Amino acid sequence: MDHFAYRDRTLLCEDVPVPELAEKYGTPLYVYSEAALLARLTEVQTAFKAADPIIAYSVKSNGNLSICRLMAQHGSGFDVTSGGELHRALTAGGSGKKIVYAGVGKSDAEMRDGLAKGVFLFNVESEAELHALGAVAQSLGVKAPVALRVNPDLPPKTHAKTDTSVKGVKFGLDIETVVDVARSVVGHPGLAIVGVHMHLGSPILSAEPYRQGAAKAVQLVKAFREMGHDIRFLNMGGGFGISYRKQEALPAAAFAEVILPAVKETGCQLVLEPGRFIVGNSGILVSRVVFTKETGGKRYVIQDAAMNDLIRPTLYDSFHRVWPVTPAADVPTWPEDCEAAIPNTQPVDVVGPVCESGDFLAKGRHLPALSRGDLLATFSAGAYGMAMASNYNSRLRAAEVLVTGRTHRLIRRRETFADLTACEDDCLR
Ligand SMILES: Cc1ncc(COP(=O)(O)O)c(C=O)c1O
């Protein structure tokens, strides 16, 4: 979290003290660092430079328009998985020439829209989808550019809810049958099979699954070409992990080392779909302590961010560092091991106001004594944070702020009660 650092015992995002942001914009508040976002995008672009890749930022990880615009302005394309995400990518300034359309359940309308907007690659995940896309393209008098998404049957071991390349998940075409599927559409008037796609899961902390996946992809590229398909794209998806706890993640260069040789062997253009790697550690969630309480022998810190703001802990058992924005002098500002029993701390559950026992940001975490009004930072919250936020319990979704050096600006205003009922007001009788 290079661009989030403590100075004089106060957390800063770039050069802006986080308490100043909380004061101005209120809490809960997502705070992003522009420098961090660009540094991570540049890291991927540099690591894979030799392959002249299309880096398609994965909109699902954080679709904020201003973040997407920043990506587009700095050379990124987009990986979208719905009509809504395509709308975001285009509104932010993206071009179909750098947009890849993923998803197991694209509707005809979404296919039509993607074709009309000139999406350069559709990742196709089933035979049924392939034929539906072919028919839609034919009806428009065009050929849909397709990468067949293969499930390579590799276990990167992320989490049961985020493993996408183990046998039996809903994603992709089975590696045993994908060659037959490719053969069955040779010469199809509505389909141009131009690529191979795989997305191995997320977050992945080892390069080995990519090495194995890329080797399988090379074989498929060869097989598809032998049957006459003009394969030009090798899409290795996203999934590069980030450090949530210590320094457990790999640099982009480690993934490049195992992917680039495969790209070279095939002569394909590389496509990557990173999301978390770019935005995950570029954002934090700032919240304010509402109450503390002890019950059943446990201590609770109740603060104003909840599972509707950041669902990852309860959905995936995910770990996020949580630490005071202005820690007292008797605790470290950045404990090396944030899971350890740090001196002058006590174990607490950090929970939110939502009416669910599963509403927590951290459990059994060693934190210093906290009081009503204290600010907390939940780190590594940039990816799959706001993107998965909801209005559950009719809570208003948080505001988002982008920091650039000493300046900051709102990139999504806090919702209002009017926003909450906007889609229902006209239906009220
Ligand atoms: C097909 C596909 N591509 C890319 C991504 C982005 O993954 P990550 O944010 O881990 O890079 C996902 C995430 O689910 C995905 O399903």
Side-chain angles (χ1 to χ4, degrees), residues 27 287-293 299-304 323-328 346 348 350 367-377:
T27 55
S287 60
R288 210 178 268 286
V289 174
V290 185
F291 302 117
T292 57
K293 82 183 238 184
R299 295 188 181 85
Y300 289 91
V301 173
I302 304 163
Q303 40 77 69
D304 60 8
W323 200 243
V325 167
T326 53
Q346 52 195 13
V348 297
V350 181
L367 288 182
L370 290 162
S371 314
R372 188 170 164 78
D374 286 349
L375 290 171
L376 285 175

Side-chain angles (χ1 to χ4, degrees), residues 58 60 79 149 199 202 238-239 273-276 384:
S58 194
K60 69 173 75 66
D79 152 44
R149 176 172 178 174
H199 169 73
S202 179
E273 303 168 343
R276 186 191 315 268
Y384 306 103

Side-chain angles (χ1 to χ4, degrees), residues 54-57 59 68-69 71-80 85-101 113-122 145 271:
I54 294 176
I55 309 294
Y57 168 68
V59 175
C68 290
R69 174 155 294 175
M71 294 293 117
Q73 285 169 339
H74 290 81
S76 181
F78 297 99
D79 152 44
V80 304
E85 287 190 358
L86 178 58
H87 173 71
R88 282 187 177 275
L90 294 170
T91 306
S95 144
K97 287 185 201 130
K98 286 192 186 176
I99 293 177
V100 48
Y101 209 140
D113 193 29
L115 287 166
K117 303 286 167 39
V119 160
F120 86 95
L121 200 60
F122 287 82
V271 183

Side-chain angles (χ1 to χ4, degrees), residues 5-336:
Y6 286 86
R7 210 180 296 156
D8 300 331
R9 308 205 75 77
T10 297
L11 180 63
L12 276 76
C13 175
E14 300 195 22
D15 295 321
V16 180
V18 169
E20 202 177 299
L21 297 171
E23 197 55 45
K24 181 167 168 74
Y25 301 106
T27 55
L29 179 70
Y30 275 98
V31 176
Y32 307 100
S33 153
E34 177 172 326
L37 286 158
L38 295 181
R40 296 293 273 182
L41 174 62
T42 306
E43 184 183 337
V44 181
Q45 287 168 330
T46 307
F48 288 92
K49 197 165 182 240
D52 187 24
I54 294 176
I55 309 294
Y57 168 68
S58 194
V59 175
K60 69 173 75 66
S61 63
N62 188 322
N64 183 286
L65 286 179
S66 299
I67 290 177
C68 290
R69 174 155 294 175
L70 197 64
M71 294 293 117
Q73 285 169 339
H74 290 81
S76 181
F78 297 99
D79 152 44
V80 304
T81 199
S82 69
E85 287 190 358
L86 178 58
H87 173 71
R88 282 187 177 275
L90 294 170
T91 306
S95 144
K97 287 185 201 130
K98 286 192 186 176
I99 293 177
V100 48
Y101 209 140
V104 291
K106 300 175 196 77
S107 67
D108 282 12
E110 286 176 320
M111 293 175 185
R112 221 174 288 121
D113 193 29
L115 287 166
K117 303 286 167 39
V119 160
F120 86 95
L121 200 60
F122 287 82
N123 295 334
V124 168
E125 310 221 13
S126 64
E127 261 192 283
E129 183 192 345
L130 192 58
H131 289 290
L133 179 60
V136 169
Q138 257 185 291
S139 74
L140 296 174
V142 296
K143 277 192 175 214
V146 168
L148 292 177
R149 176 172 178 174
V150 63
N151 176 345
D153 191 16
L154 292 171
K157 291 196 179 62
T158 55
H159 180 277
K161 288 180 182 153
T162 54
D163 272 344
T164 55
S165 58
V166 291
K167 229 186 182 61
V169 297
K170 71 177 177 181
F171 298 101
L173 290 143
D174 286 345
I175 192 142
E176 293 84 3
T177 53
V178 69
V179 174
D180 290 339
V181 173
R183 188 172 293 112
S184 73
V185 292
V186 172
H188 191 295
L191 296 170
I193 309 298
V194 293
V196 171
H197 173 240
M198 57 180 68
H199 169 73
L200 303 178
S202 179
I204 299 176
L205 296 172
S206 154
E208 193 47 35
Y210 289 94
R211 184 196 305 278
Q212 293 177 29
K216 294 191 180 197
V218 170
Q219 296 313 311
L220 291 177
V221 170
K222 287 180 183 164
F224 293 178
R225 279 180 178 159
E226 271 167 24
M227 59 184 79
H229 292 303
D230 178 18
I231 304 298
R232 289 176 279 125
F233 299 105
L234 176 54
N235 183 349
M236 291 301 295
F240 301 163
I242 61 168
S243 296
Y244 283 101
R245 295 164 192 266
K246 293 181 183 169
Q247 291 296 323
E248 67 269 29
L250 293 174
F255 298 108
E257 200 178 310
V258 299
I259 292 174
L260 286 178
V263 179
K264 197 164 176 205
E265 191 177 343
T266 58
C268 286
Q269 177 158 34
L270 175 66
V271 183
L272 291 171
E273 303 168 343
R276 186 191 315 268
F277 190 85
I278 291 171
V279 72
N281 269 334
S282 302
I284 61 171
L285 175 60
V286 182
S287 60
R288 210 178 268 286
V289 174
V290 185
F291 302 117
T292 57
K293 82 183 238 184
E294 273 188 57
T295 182
K298 281 182 78 169
R299 295 188 181 85
Y300 289 91
V301 173
I302 304 163
Q303 40 77 69
D304 60 8
M307 65 189 284
N308 75 294
D309 300 299
L310 181 65
I311 202 169
R312 297 190 70 255
T314 193
L315 185 61
Y316 305 129
D317 306 311
S318 301
F319 180 94
H320 287 263
R321 257 181 196 263
V322 179
W323 200 243
V325 167
T326 53
D330 60 354
V331 291
T333 48
W334 188 255
E336 220 19 66

